[in-house]
């Protein structure tokens, strides 16, 4: 089965005011990276997540971001998995 389809991720709330939560219901087995990008492509946040476990909840503080639309990019180069979520910062 395709690893991409097995990778189950939930991002909430959306729109977000101060904290965004990422729940990994079926995480990959290798390093996972999380980035928040502006529409122009500029990176405003980056974190390397190691050894995620099923059901793990990752919290990202976005209170300092300006109001607007951002892309939340979650990827694992070793597993060749990639997800992009649009998030609205209130």
């Amino acid at each position: 089965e395709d690893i991409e389809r097995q990778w189950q991720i939930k991002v909430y709330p959306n729109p977000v005011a101060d904290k965004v939560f990422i729940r990994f219901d079926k995480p990959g087995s290798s390093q996972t990276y999380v980035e928040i990008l502006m529409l122009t492509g500029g990176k405003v946040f980056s974190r390397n997540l190691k050894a995620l476990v099923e059901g793990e909840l990752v919290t990202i503080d976005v209170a300092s971001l300006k109001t607007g639309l951002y892309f939340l990019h979650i990827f694992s180069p070793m597993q060749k998995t990639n997800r992009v979520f649009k998030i609205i910062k209130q």
Side-chain angles (χ1 to χ4, degrees):
E1 190 174 332
D2 184 33
I3 293 172
E4 184 83 18
R5 290 189 193 138
Q6 293 177 9
W7 218 33
Q8 294 181 11
I9 301 168
K10 295 176 185 166
V11 175
Y12 60 93
N14 198 8
V16 58
D18 57 354
K19 291 184 186 343
V20 65
F21 301 98
I22 306 168
R23 182 180 172 99
F24 292 87
D25 287 331
K26 287 197 176 182
S29 59
S30 64
Q31 287 188 324
T32 301
Y33 298 88
V34 176
E35 298 175 338
I36 297 178
L37 308 168
M38 297 182 296
L39 291 178
T40 59
K43 192 183 310 182
V44 294
F45 175 86
S46 180
R47 183 185 294 171
N48 180 358
L49 307 173
K50 298 178 184 177
L52 291 169
V53 296
E54 188 160 341
E56 185 161 347
L57 186 66
V58 175
T59 304
I60 299 174
D61 186 349
V62 294
S64 64
L65 296 181
K66 293 181 181 179
T67 300
L69 180 64
Y70 294 85
F71 294 113
L72 176 66
H73 182 209
I74 303 169
F75 62 101
S76 176
M78 292 183 74
Q79 289 185 266
K80 299 179 181 170
T81 52
N82 183 48
R83 291 281 173 80
V84 177
F85 299 87
K86 290 179 186 175
I87 57 171
I88 299 168
K89 169 65 170 79
Q90 293 180 323

